[in-house]
Amino acid sequence: SAAAEPYLRNGLAILEDIHATNDIVFGSLLNALGMSLRHQDRFVEAESFGRQAVTAQRRLLGDAHPGTSHALYELALTFCEAGKLEQAQTIGLEAWQLSQKLHGATNRAVLVVLSLVACVAFQRGDIAGVDALLADAPLRAIAPTEGRMLFGGECERFWLVRTLTALAWRHRAHRGR
């Protein structure tokens, strides 16, 4: 949010002043600032900080780390919301593949990334891509779980099921034409 932005910028400035850009907090702050800017529809700045966050997380944590996959996911969201669907698809797929390696295909966080990638494919008109992505989507893995609260109180499970169901419904309607 806009209220968090000055604090995030201040935190980054402090770390840069004390030459602590090799601290894992640095990458997290870059990511958080990118998210804050995205929520303000300041996509050019959000993209810049998102790219910096991915670079920092790779440098600090390596490719095979949840912090890196999360930074990739946030950058894909930024691209998606900015209307840069090709970049959103590329980065989103990378985030999804990395998340699967780290957590397995049925992990809820992995399914959140999958739903983003499938939404982007649908927005791009890539119905075959949506089919391929959702063919093995393990919806049964999220049905019995409680899910954690996010998105202003929505349950993660509800959001996933709603997104994937909407995509399947749209796909069926598109096929029927």
Side-chain angles (χ1 to χ4, degrees):
S1 73
E5 182 185 345
Y7 298 105
L8 294 168
R9 287 185 185 276
N10 188 44
L12 284 171
I14 289 170
L15 289 174
E16 288 169 346
D17 284 348
I18 63 171
H19 306 288
T21 56
N22 285 330
D23 190 293
I24 60 170
V25 174
F26 183 72
S28 296
L29 283 174
L30 288 167
N31 199 39
L33 184 54
M35 291 167 47
S36 174
L37 294 165
R38 183 181 73 239
H39 291 300
Q40 298 174 60
D41 296 334
R42 293 165 55 190
F43 300 119
V44 172
E45 290 175 279
E47 181 183 330
S48 174
F49 282 101
R51 287 181 184 278
Q52 290 177 59
V54 168
T55 299
Q57 296 299 59
R58 283 188 165 139
R59 179 175 51 86
L60 298 169
L61 304 170
D63 279 327
H65 191 278
T68 304
S69 67
H70 181 69
L72 286 164
Y73 170 74
E74 292 296 337
L75 181 57
L77 273 176
T78 297
F79 282 132
C80 181
E81 291 182 25
K84 296 181 175 182
L85 299 180
E86 189 171 323
Q87 293 98 321
Q89 189 75 18
T90 300
I91 299 297
L93 281 169
E94 185 179 353
W96 179 52
Q97 291 163 351
L98 176 55
S99 295
Q100 283 186 94
K101 287 179 187 174
L102 294 170
H103 306 294
T106 61
N107 180 279
R108 287 184 312 227
V110 174
L111 294 173
V112 168
V113 181
L114 170 62
S115 66
L116 169 67
V117 175
C119 283
V120 170
F122 185 82
Q123 288 176 356
R124 294 181 67 218
D126 181 7
I127 302 304
V130 173
D131 257 352
L133 288 163
L134 299 182
D136 297 319
L139 293 177
R140 67 190 174 283
I142 57 174
T145 65
E146 288 294 320
R148 60 186 171 94
M149 301 304 284
L150 73 164
F151 304 119
E154 280 190 6
C155 178
E156 181 179 52
R157 180 189 66 202
F158 171 77
W159 183 79
L160 285 165
V161 171
R162 184 187 68 195
T163 301
L164 295 173
T165 301
L167 282 166
W169 184 262
R170 288 178 191 163
H171 175 66
R172 280 202 185 114
H174 184 76
R175 269 191 174 170
R177 291 183 185 177

